[in-house]
Amino acid sequence: MTDEPSAAAIDRLLRTPARWAVVGLSGNTGRAAYGVAAYLQRLGHTIVPVHPAAPTVHGARGHARLRDLPEPPDVVDVFVNSARAAAVVDEAVAVGARAVWLQLGVHADDAVARARAAGVLVVQDACPAIEGRARGLG
């Protein structure tokens, strides 16, 4: 797998209905995760909030950790700061996610390399809402 995903791979992630675990998603309407999760739902994705408080957000039941999910997510969307992102990426790989999306400004280079070595597609330093709108989605 290449270091950076192709435009076609990003397009598939956004266009193919999937189960997105949104790590850091809470009911705080002022946070980017809240709006991006709503956008993903409008595209036809199922969202799963992952937050220590495990809130229900946009009608979706939350879970405290990725390992608490009843089934592996297709994509793990990471809305935590870079200092915490590596642990989330490693947990995403451990639970069987097929893709990890690190939001704008979020970097975890060593964990990203481990995930890619495990065959997981990783998008880093990008936003699905921005990428989707650039493709005319939603």
Side-chain angles (χ1 to χ4, degrees):
M1 187 165 266
T2 64
D3 282 348
E4 295 301 320
S6 68
I10 291 172
D11 199 66
R12 277 191 306 277
L13 282 177
L14 294 171
R15 291 180 186 275
T16 305
R19 194 163 176 255
W20 287 60
V22 185
V23 179
L25 176 58
S26 71
N28 184 340
T29 60
R31 302 291 301 219
Y34 190 87
V36 170
Y39 175 78
L40 290 168
Q41 282 185 316
R42 285 193 302 275
L43 293 183
H45 299 291
T46 300
I47 60 134
V48 180
V50 178
H51 186 279
T56 295
V57 183
H58 300 306
R61 180 177 165 256
H63 298 272
R65 295 171 301 274
L66 287 171
R67 65 179 170 262
D68 296 337
L69 300 179
E71 61 186 89
D74 298 304
V75 182
V76 174
D77 193 359
V78 183
F79 276 96
V80 299
N81 64 40
S82 295
R84 295 180 46 219
V88 174
V89 172
D90 289 338
E91 188 177 6
V93 172
V95 300
R98 64 178 178 86
V100 174
W101 193 301
L102 295 163
Q103 286 295 319
L104 287 170
V106 178
H107 298 274
D109 295 335
D110 290 345
V112 165
R114 290 190 297 274
R116 288 179 174 152
V120 175
L121 175 68
V122 180
V123 178
Q124 185 170 221
D125 195 23
C127 174
I130 292 169
E131 293 294 325
R133 289 182 183 118
R135 289 164 168 75
L137 302 174

